Amino acid sequence: MKPYRMICAILCSAAFGTAVPLPATAQDAGGTYAYVGARTTERYNGAGKGIEVFRTGADGSWTHVETVDGPGNPSFLIRNQAGSLLFAVHGGLEEVTSFRIDPDTGSLTLLSSVDVGGVNPVHLALNSDESFLVVANYTTGAVVSLPVNEDGTLGAVTGKLDLPGEPGPHRQQQPSSYPHQVLADPSRQVFIVPDKGLDRVFVVGLDGGGQLSILSETATREGSGPRHGDFGKNAGEVYIVNELDSTITAYTYKDHQLTPFQIVSTLPDDFTSNSRAAAIDVADDGRHVYATNRGHESIVRFVIDPETGRLSDPNWVSSGGKRPRFMMISPSDDEVLVANELSHSIFGFRISEADGTLTDARMIVETGSPVAIEFGAAK
Protein backbone atom coordinates (compact mmCIF):
# COMPACT_ATOMS: atom_id res chain seq x y z
CA MET A 1 0.00 0.00 0.00
CA LYS A 2 1.12 3.60 -0.54
CA PRO A 3 2.84 4.74 2.68
CA TYR A 4 0.73 7.88 3.00
CA ARG A 5 -2.62 6.23 2.33
CA MET A 6 -4.85 5.39 5.26
CA ILE A 7 -5.77 1.72 5.22
CA CYS A 8 -9.28 1.78 3.82
CA ALA A 9 -11.43 -0.67 5.66
CA ILE A 10 -14.84 -0.03 4.27
CA LEU A 11 -18.20 -0.74 5.62
CA CYS A 12 -17.57 -2.92 8.59
CA SER A 13 -20.24 -2.94 11.27
CA ALA A 14 -20.26 -4.77 14.56
CA ALA A 15 -22.66 -5.83 17.27
CA PHE A 16 -23.36 -3.77 20.35
CA GLY A 17 -21.66 -6.33 22.56
CA THR A 18 -19.41 -9.32 22.19
CA ALA A 19 -19.23 -10.82 18.72
CA VAL A 20 -20.27 -14.39 18.10
CA PRO A 21 -17.24 -16.64 18.84
CA LEU A 22 -15.28 -17.82 15.83
CA PRO A 23 -15.45 -21.50 14.92
CA ALA A 24 -12.51 -23.45 16.27
CA THR A 25 -10.98 -23.89 12.80
CA ALA A 26 -10.85 -20.11 12.36
CA GLN A 27 -9.43 -19.35 15.80
CA ASP A 28 -6.04 -20.84 15.00
CA ALA A 29 -3.27 -18.27 15.30
CA GLY A 30 -2.27 -16.44 12.12
CA GLY A 31 -4.11 -15.76 8.90
CA THR A 32 -5.87 -12.95 7.08
CA TYR A 33 -9.48 -11.83 7.47
CA ALA A 34 -11.77 -10.06 5.03
CA TYR A 35 -14.52 -7.89 6.48
CA VAL A 36 -17.46 -7.29 4.15
CA GLY A 37 -19.97 -4.55 4.94
CA ALA A 38 -23.49 -4.50 3.54
CA ARG A 39 -26.64 -2.50 3.08
CA THR A 40 -28.97 -3.73 5.78
CA THR A 41 -32.04 -1.51 5.96
CA GLU A 42 -35.24 -1.32 3.95
CA ARG A 43 -34.50 2.27 2.98
CA TYR A 44 -31.53 1.06 0.95
CA ASN A 45 -33.17 -2.20 -0.13
CA GLY A 46 -30.60 -3.95 1.98
CA ALA A 47 -30.31 -7.72 1.93
CA GLY A 48 -27.25 -7.81 4.19
CA LYS A 49 -27.11 -8.78 7.85
CA GLY A 50 -24.16 -6.64 8.91
CA ILE A 51 -20.51 -7.50 8.77
CA GLU A 52 -19.63 -10.82 7.22
CA VAL A 53 -16.21 -12.01 8.31
CA PHE A 54 -14.22 -14.37 6.09
CA ARG A 55 -10.90 -16.09 6.58
CA THR A 56 -8.88 -15.88 3.36
CA GLY A 57 -6.63 -18.65 2.14
CA ALA A 58 -3.35 -18.59 0.23
CA ASP A 59 -5.23 -20.10 -2.71
CA GLY A 60 -7.56 -17.09 -2.86
CA SER A 61 -10.48 -18.84 -1.16
CA TRP A 62 -12.73 -17.15 1.38
CA THR A 63 -14.24 -19.19 4.22
CA HIS A 64 -17.13 -17.69 6.19
CA VAL A 65 -16.32 -17.23 9.87
CA GLU A 66 -19.07 -15.17 11.46
CA THR A 67 -21.85 -12.64 10.95
CA VAL A 68 -21.75 -9.58 13.20
CA ASP A 69 -24.91 -7.49 13.22
CA GLY A 70 -25.39 -4.06 14.75
CA PRO A 71 -25.86 -0.49 13.45
CA GLY A 72 -27.45 -0.47 10.01
CA ASN A 73 -25.76 0.38 6.74
CA PRO A 74 -22.12 0.69 7.76
CA SER A 75 -20.70 2.87 5.00
CA PHE A 76 -16.97 3.38 5.46
CA LEU A 77 -14.42 2.16 7.92
CA ILE A 78 -10.72 2.54 8.66
CA ARG A 79 -8.27 0.77 10.91
CA ASN A 80 -5.55 2.49 12.86
CA GLN A 81 -1.99 1.80 11.74
CA ALA A 82 -1.41 -0.74 14.50
CA GLY A 83 -4.42 -2.71 13.32
CA SER A 84 -5.90 -2.80 16.83
CA LEU A 85 -8.83 -0.42 16.32
CA LEU A 86 -11.54 -0.04 13.74
CA PHE A 87 -13.68 3.05 13.19
CA ALA A 88 -16.94 3.00 11.22
CA VAL A 89 -19.59 5.40 9.99
CA HIS A 90 -23.15 4.24 9.32
CA GLY A 91 -24.92 5.49 6.20
CA GLY A 92 -28.28 7.14 6.74
CA LEU A 93 -27.76 7.30 10.51
CA GLU A 94 -26.11 9.81 12.83
CA GLU A 95 -23.32 7.92 14.53
CA VAL A 96 -19.71 6.89 14.31
CA THR A 97 -18.40 3.87 16.17
CA SER A 98 -15.08 2.45 17.32
CA PHE A 99 -14.19 -1.18 17.90
CA ARG A 100 -11.39 -3.23 19.34
CA ILE A 101 -9.97 -5.80 16.92
CA ASP A 102 -9.01 -9.08 18.58
CA PRO A 103 -5.39 -9.69 17.55
CA ASP A 104 -5.83 -13.47 17.54
CA THR A 105 -9.20 -13.93 15.88
CA GLY A 106 -9.96 -10.68 14.06
CA SER A 107 -13.25 -10.35 15.96
CA LEU A 108 -14.68 -6.93 16.81
CA THR A 109 -15.81 -5.58 20.18
CA LEU A 110 -17.67 -2.29 20.38
CA LEU A 111 -15.84 0.42 22.35
CA SER A 112 -17.97 3.49 21.71
CA SER A 113 -20.80 4.92 19.66
CA VAL A 114 -20.95 8.71 19.35
CA ASP A 115 -23.28 11.20 17.68
CA VAL A 116 -21.45 12.45 14.61
CA GLY A 117 -23.06 15.89 14.66
CA GLY A 118 -24.92 15.44 11.40
CA VAL A 119 -26.82 13.04 9.18
CA ASN A 120 -25.56 10.26 6.91
CA PRO A 121 -21.82 10.04 7.61
CA VAL A 122 -20.22 8.37 4.60
CA HIS A 123 -16.44 8.54 4.92
CA LEU A 124 -13.74 9.03 7.54
CA ALA A 125 -9.99 9.31 8.07
CA LEU A 126 -7.51 9.51 10.95
CA ASN A 127 -5.02 12.34 11.33
CA SER A 128 -1.24 11.90 11.59
CA ASP A 129 -0.97 10.89 15.24
CA GLU A 130 -4.41 9.25 15.24
CA SER A 131 -5.70 11.62 17.90
CA PHE A 132 -8.64 12.78 15.75
CA LEU A 133 -11.14 11.19 13.42
CA VAL A 134 -12.35 13.33 10.50
CA VAL A 135 -15.79 12.49 9.07
CA ALA A 136 -17.81 13.62 6.03
CA ASN A 137 -21.51 14.08 6.86
CA TYR A 138 -23.11 13.75 3.44
CA THR A 139 -26.71 14.83 3.95
CA THR A 140 -25.99 17.77 6.25
CA GLY A 141 -23.07 19.06 4.20
CA ALA A 142 -20.29 19.29 6.77
CA VAL A 143 -16.94 17.85 7.78
CA VAL A 144 -16.48 17.17 11.49
CA SER A 145 -13.69 16.02 13.80
CA LEU A 146 -13.88 13.84 16.91
CA PRO A 147 -11.10 13.10 19.42
CA VAL A 148 -9.82 9.54 19.73
CA ASN A 149 -9.02 8.63 23.32
CA GLU A 150 -6.09 6.43 24.31
CA ASP A 151 -8.42 3.52 25.00
CA GLY A 152 -9.90 3.72 21.51
CA THR A 153 -13.16 5.33 22.53
CA LEU A 154 -14.39 8.44 20.74
CA GLY A 155 -15.19 11.82 22.26
CA ALA A 156 -17.87 14.29 21.25
CA VAL A 157 -17.51 16.33 18.04
CA THR A 158 -14.79 18.97 18.47
CA GLY A 159 -14.79 20.75 15.13
CA LYS A 160 -17.46 21.28 12.49
CA LEU A 161 -16.99 22.87 9.08
CA ASP A 162 -19.99 23.63 6.88
CA LEU A 163 -19.00 23.65 3.21
CA PRO A 164 -20.13 26.78 1.32
CA GLY A 165 -21.20 27.18 -2.27
CA GLU A 166 -24.03 27.07 -4.79
CA PRO A 167 -25.63 23.68 -5.51
CA GLY A 168 -25.07 22.06 -8.88
CA PRO A 169 -27.76 21.82 -11.58
CA HIS A 170 -28.94 18.25 -10.94
CA ARG A 171 -32.39 18.64 -9.35
CA GLN A 172 -32.30 15.45 -7.28
CA GLN A 173 -28.63 14.76 -6.60
CA GLN A 174 -27.39 18.30 -5.96
CA PRO A 175 -29.81 20.15 -3.66
CA SER A 176 -27.02 21.24 -1.28
CA SER A 177 -23.53 20.39 -0.12
CA TYR A 178 -22.90 16.61 -0.28
CA PRO A 179 -19.30 15.85 0.82
CA HIS A 180 -18.56 12.26 -0.14
CA GLN A 181 -15.01 11.60 1.06
CA VAL A 182 -12.21 12.83 3.33
CA LEU A 183 -9.00 11.70 1.61
CA ALA A 184 -5.90 12.27 3.75
CA ASP A 185 -2.91 13.75 1.97
CA PRO A 186 0.66 12.61 2.83
CA SER A 187 0.79 14.85 5.92
CA ARG A 188 -2.45 13.33 7.23
CA GLN A 189 -3.32 16.76 8.63
CA VAL A 190 -4.90 17.92 5.37
CA PHE A 191 -7.85 16.26 3.63
CA ILE A 192 -9.22 16.34 0.08
CA VAL A 193 -13.04 16.59 0.20
CA PRO A 194 -14.95 16.05 -3.07
CA ASP A 195 -18.39 17.66 -2.72
CA LYS A 196 -20.88 16.01 -5.04
CA GLY A 197 -23.61 18.55 -4.35
CA LEU A 198 -21.62 21.73 -4.92
CA ASP A 199 -19.44 20.59 -7.84
CA ARG A 200 -16.38 21.58 -5.86
CA VAL A 201 -13.35 19.91 -4.31
CA PHE A 202 -12.23 21.37 -0.99
CA VAL A 203 -8.84 21.05 0.69
CA VAL A 204 -9.44 21.07 4.44
CA GLY A 205 -6.88 21.46 7.23
CA LEU A 206 -7.05 20.13 10.78
CA ASP A 207 -5.19 21.95 13.59
CA GLY A 208 -3.86 20.51 16.83
CA GLY A 209 -7.05 21.33 18.69
CA GLY A 210 -9.29 19.52 16.26
CA GLN A 211 -10.59 22.60 14.45
CA LEU A 212 -11.14 22.47 10.69
CA SER A 213 -10.59 25.15 8.05
CA ILE A 214 -10.76 25.44 4.26
CA LEU A 215 -7.29 25.83 2.75
CA SER A 216 -8.46 25.98 -0.87
CA GLU A 217 -11.36 25.05 -3.12
CA THR A 218 -11.57 24.15 -6.79
CA ALA A 219 -14.65 24.26 -8.99
CA THR A 220 -15.34 21.20 -11.12
CA ARG A 221 -17.27 20.92 -14.36
CA GLU A 222 -20.94 21.87 -13.78
CA GLY A 223 -23.05 18.81 -13.00
CA SER A 224 -20.07 16.48 -12.63
CA GLY A 225 -20.71 15.52 -9.00
CA PRO A 226 -17.19 14.77 -7.65
CA ARG A 227 -17.36 11.66 -5.47
CA HIS A 228 -14.06 9.96 -4.52
CA GLY A 229 -10.37 10.42 -5.26
CA ASP A 230 -6.96 8.83 -4.89
CA PHE A 231 -3.38 10.04 -5.08
CA GLY A 232 -0.87 9.16 -7.75
CA LYS A 233 2.34 7.37 -6.84
CA ASN A 234 4.23 10.41 -5.58
CA ALA A 235 1.18 12.39 -4.40
CA GLY A 236 1.82 15.07 -7.02
CA GLU A 237 -1.43 14.18 -8.74
CA VAL A 238 -4.94 13.45 -7.49
CA TYR A 239 -7.49 11.56 -9.59
CA ILE A 240 -11.13 12.25 -8.72
CA VAL A 241 -14.01 10.25 -10.12
CA ASN A 242 -17.12 12.29 -10.86
CA GLU A 243 -20.31 10.35 -10.19
CA LEU A 244 -22.93 12.24 -12.17
CA ASP A 245 -21.19 12.70 -15.52
CA SER A 246 -19.06 9.52 -15.31
CA THR A 247 -15.67 11.14 -15.71
CA ILE A 248 -12.30 11.27 -13.98
CA THR A 249 -10.57 14.61 -13.47
CA ALA A 250 -6.79 14.60 -13.04
CA TYR A 251 -5.33 17.34 -10.84
CA THR A 252 -1.88 18.45 -9.83
CA TYR A 253 -1.57 18.86 -6.06
CA LYS A 254 0.88 21.41 -4.70
CA ASP A 255 0.82 23.68 -1.65
CA HIS A 256 -2.67 22.45 -0.74
CA GLN A 257 -4.03 23.55 -4.10
CA LEU A 258 -5.63 21.37 -6.78
CA THR A 259 -5.23 22.37 -10.42
CA PRO A 260 -7.11 20.33 -13.05
CA PHE A 261 -5.29 19.32 -16.23
CA GLN A 262 -7.37 16.53 -17.81
CA ILE A 263 -10.89 15.05 -17.90
CA VAL A 264 -11.64 11.61 -19.34
CA SER A 265 -14.85 9.61 -19.58
CA THR A 266 -15.17 6.38 -17.61
CA LEU A 267 -17.58 5.03 -20.25
CA PRO A 268 -16.99 3.78 -23.81
CA ASP A 269 -18.18 6.17 -26.51
CA ASP A 270 -20.77 3.72 -27.83
CA PHE A 271 -22.56 3.33 -24.49
CA THR A 272 -25.72 5.45 -24.64
CA SER A 273 -27.65 4.42 -21.51
CA ASN A 274 -27.51 5.84 -17.99
CA SER A 275 -24.61 5.13 -15.67
CA ARG A 276 -22.91 6.67 -12.64
CA ALA A 277 -19.31 6.31 -11.60
CA ALA A 278 -18.54 5.10 -8.10
CA ALA A 279 -15.15 3.86 -6.88
CA ILE A 280 -11.59 4.74 -7.86
CA ASP A 281 -8.21 3.27 -6.91
CA VAL A 282 -4.68 3.97 -8.16
CA ALA A 283 -2.22 1.08 -8.28
CA ASP A 284 0.59 1.45 -5.76
CA ASP A 285 3.21 1.51 -8.51
CA GLY A 286 1.40 4.50 -10.02
CA ARG A 287 1.07 2.94 -13.47
CA HIS A 288 -2.70 2.46 -13.64
CA VAL A 289 -5.96 3.78 -12.25
CA TYR A 290 -9.22 1.83 -11.98
CA ALA A 291 -12.82 3.07 -11.62
CA THR A 292 -16.26 1.47 -11.55
CA ASN A 293 -19.45 2.29 -13.45
CA ARG A 294 -22.91 1.57 -12.06
CA GLY A 295 -25.21 1.13 -15.04
CA HIS A 296 -22.55 0.10 -17.50
CA GLU A 297 -21.66 -2.45 -14.75
CA SER A 298 -17.98 -2.30 -15.49
CA ILE A 299 -14.47 -1.55 -14.33
CA VAL A 300 -12.34 0.73 -16.46
CA ARG A 301 -8.54 0.77 -16.42
CA PHE A 302 -6.45 3.75 -17.56
CA VAL A 303 -2.71 3.91 -18.10
CA ILE A 304 -0.99 6.77 -16.22
CA ASP A 305 1.84 8.53 -18.05
CA PRO A 306 4.76 8.55 -15.57
CA GLU A 307 6.01 11.93 -16.77
CA THR A 308 2.80 13.92 -17.14
CA GLY A 309 0.26 12.05 -15.04
CA ARG A 310 -2.17 12.02 -17.96
CA LEU A 311 -4.58 9.12 -18.48
CA SER A 312 -4.91 7.12 -21.69
CA ASP A 313 -5.77 3.75 -23.24
CA PRO A 314 -9.01 2.92 -21.37
CA ASN A 315 -9.96 -0.75 -21.17
CA TRP A 316 -13.26 -2.09 -19.81
CA VAL A 317 -14.31 -5.40 -18.27
CA SER A 318 -17.66 -6.43 -16.81
CA SER A 319 -17.82 -6.14 -13.03
CA GLY A 320 -19.48 -9.56 -12.91
CA GLY A 321 -22.68 -8.21 -11.41
CA LYS A 322 -24.95 -5.23 -10.83
CA ARG A 323 -24.07 -1.90 -9.21
CA PRO A 324 -20.34 -2.15 -8.46
CA ARG A 325 -20.38 0.44 -5.70
CA PHE A 326 -17.05 -0.50 -4.11
CA MET A 327 -13.72 -1.58 -5.54
CA MET A 328 -10.22 -2.00 -4.16
CA ILE A 329 -6.85 -3.38 -5.16
CA SER A 330 -6.04 -6.38 -2.97
CA PRO A 331 -3.33 -6.16 -0.27
CA SER A 332 -1.12 -8.34 -2.49
CA ASP A 333 -1.49 -5.79 -5.32
CA ASP A 334 -2.24 -8.49 -7.88
CA GLU A 335 -6.05 -8.48 -7.94
CA VAL A 336 -8.91 -6.00 -8.15
CA LEU A 337 -11.88 -6.84 -5.91
CA VAL A 338 -15.36 -5.52 -6.67
CA ALA A 339 -18.48 -5.59 -4.49
CA ASN A 340 -21.60 -5.81 -6.67
CA GLU A 341 -24.34 -4.43 -4.45
CA LEU A 342 -27.47 -5.50 -6.34
CA SER A 343 -26.32 -8.97 -7.39
CA HIS A 344 -24.99 -9.84 -3.92
CA SER A 345 -21.54 -10.91 -5.06
CA ILE A 346 -17.86 -10.14 -4.76
CA PHE A 347 -15.70 -10.71 -7.83
CA GLY A 348 -11.94 -10.77 -8.21
CA PHE A 349 -9.88 -9.91 -11.32
CA ARG A 350 -6.21 -10.68 -11.84
CA ILE A 351 -4.11 -7.62 -12.74
CA SER A 352 -1.87 -8.18 -15.74
CA GLU A 353 1.71 -7.28 -14.90
CA ALA A 354 2.26 -6.22 -18.49
CA ASP A 355 -0.42 -3.59 -18.96
CA GLY A 356 -2.69 -3.56 -15.90
CA THR A 357 -5.68 -5.02 -17.73
CA LEU A 358 -8.04 -7.20 -15.71
CA THR A 359 -8.35 -10.88 -16.56
CA ASP A 360 -9.40 -14.24 -15.08
CA ALA A 361 -12.60 -13.00 -13.46
CA ARG A 362 -13.72 -15.18 -10.56
CA MET A 363 -16.70 -15.09 -8.26
CA ILE A 364 -15.23 -15.09 -4.77
CA VAL A 365 -18.34 -15.19 -2.61
CA GLU A 366 -22.07 -14.53 -2.56
CA THR A 367 -23.21 -12.25 0.26
CA GLY A 368 -26.15 -9.89 0.73
CA SER A 369 -25.83 -6.32 -0.59
CA PRO A 370 -22.04 -5.97 -0.25
CA VAL A 371 -20.77 -2.42 -0.48
CA ALA A 372 -17.25 -2.60 0.89
CA ILE A 373 -14.34 -4.84 1.80
CA GLU A 374 -11.44 -4.50 4.23
CA PHE A 375 -8.65 -6.84 5.22
CA GLY A 376 -6.97 -7.48 8.55
CA ALA A 377 -4.23 -9.87 9.65
CA ALA A 378 -4.43 -11.89 12.84
CA LYS A 379 -1.33 -12.75 14.86
Side-chain angles (χ1 to χ4, degrees):
M1 302 290 287
K2 302 185 192 68
Y4 57 82
R5 183 192 294 177
M6 293 305 301
I7 302 173
C8 288
I10 296 186
L11 279 148
C12 265
S13 168
F16 283 83
T18 304
V20 177
L22 298 174
T25 56
Q27 292 192 39
D28 300 335
T32 300
Y33 294 92
Y35 300 91
V36 177
R39 294 296 199 191
T40 63
T41 65
E42 182 178 355
R43 175 183 176 184
Y44 293 103
N45 300 311
K49 298 179 181 178
I51 255 193
E52 302 292 353
V53 184
F54 298 87
R55 189 180 183 91
T56 64
D59 61 354
S61 63
W62 289 25
T63 303
H64 188 258
V65 172
E66 65 175 348
T67 299
V68 186
D69 61 9
N73 304 319
S75 58
F76 239 86
L77 162 140
I78 56 172
R79 290 185 292 136
N80 63 345
Q81 290 192 329
S84 59
L85 298 173
L86 179 146
F87 304 90
V89 290
H90 302 277
L93 303 179
E94 301 177 14
E95 63 188 323
V96 60
T97 47
S98 65
F99 305 90
R100 179 76 60 190
I101 300 174
D102 188 294
D104 297 314
T105 68
S107 294
L108 305 176
T109 301
L110 180 71
L111 296 177
S112 62
S113 178
V114 178
D115 189 302
V116 78
V119 178
N120 196 11
V122 294
H123 202 274
L124 70 172
L126 286 162
N127 72 327
S128 57
D129 64 3
E130 301 185 335
S131 60
F132 284 96
L133 196 66
V134 180
V135 179
N137 285 331
Y138 179 83
T139 301
T140 43
V143 178
V144 299
S145 61
L146 305 91
V148 180
N149 301 317
E150 291 186 2
D151 62 358
T153 59
L154 295 167
V157 168
T158 301
K160 181 181 179 183
L161 179 65
D162 295 314
L163 299 178
E166 292 296 320
H170 196 292
R171 290 176 296 174
Q172 294 181 326
Q173 293 294 317
Q174 296 183 307
S176 61
S177 170
Y178 277 173
H180 217 301
Q181 185 189 31
V182 283
L183 172 66
D185 84 351
S187 73
R188 294 173 57 204
Q189 288 296 127
V190 175
F191 304 87
I192 311 298
V193 182
D195 193 312
K196 173 181 157 182
L198 301 182
D199 286 330
R200 305 189 81 77
V201 182
F202 295 90
V203 179
V204 173
L206 176 75
D207 69 18
Q211 298 303 306
L212 298 156
S213 61
I214 295 173
L215 304 180
S216 70
E217 57 184 277
T218 302
T220 70
R221 179 181 286 174
E222 187 178 74
S224 61
R227 177 183 172 93
H228 276 201
D230 199 8
F231 282 94
K233 182 179 180 180
N234 297 314
E237 292 85 31
V238 178
Y239 299 93
I240 293 180
V241 68
N242 301 302
E243 176 179 335
L244 299 181
D245 70 356
S246 297
T247 61
I248 295 173
T249 304
Y251 299 83
T252 58
Y253 180 63
K254 184 178 181 180
D255 298 329
H256 304 150
Q257 178 69 51
L258 291 166
T259 303
F261 63 88
Q262 185 188 21
I263 298 177
V264 295
S265 176
T266 64
L267 298 170
D269 61 11
D270 60 353
F271 180 76
T272 60
S273 298
N274 293 319
S275 188
R276 290 183 181 174
I280 189 167
D281 203 359
V282 176
D284 285 351
D285 62 10
R287 297 169 55 201
H288 306 102
V289 62
Y290 302 88
T292 62
N293 295 298
R294 297 170 294 176
H296 190 241
E297 317 299 15
S298 66
I299 311 163
V300 59
R301 178 235 58 184
F302 288 92
V303 175
I304 301 176
D305 186 296
E307 300 298 326
T308 66
R310 291 179 63 84
L311 306 181
S312 65
D313 192 24
N315 180 266
W316 290 267
V317 297
S318 167
S319 70
K322 296 181 179 180
R323 193 180 290 174
R325 179 182 176 89
F326 173 77
M327 173 200 63
M328 69 177 294
I329 297 172
S330 69
S332 57
D333 294 328
D334 61 358
E335 192 173 33
V336 165
L337 306 175
V338 178
N340 291 304
E341 180 181 357
L342 293 187
S343 52
H344 315 297
S345 62
I346 294 172
F347 268 70
F349 301 82
R350 185 177 66 84
I351 300 173
S352 167
E353 293 184 9
D355 59 8
T357 55
L358 302 182
T359 63
D360 300 335
R362 67 187 182 102
M363 213 275 274
I364 296 174
V365 69
E366 292 182 338
T367 185
S369 303
V371 288
I373 308 162
E374 170 60 334
F375 289 89
K379 290 183 178 178

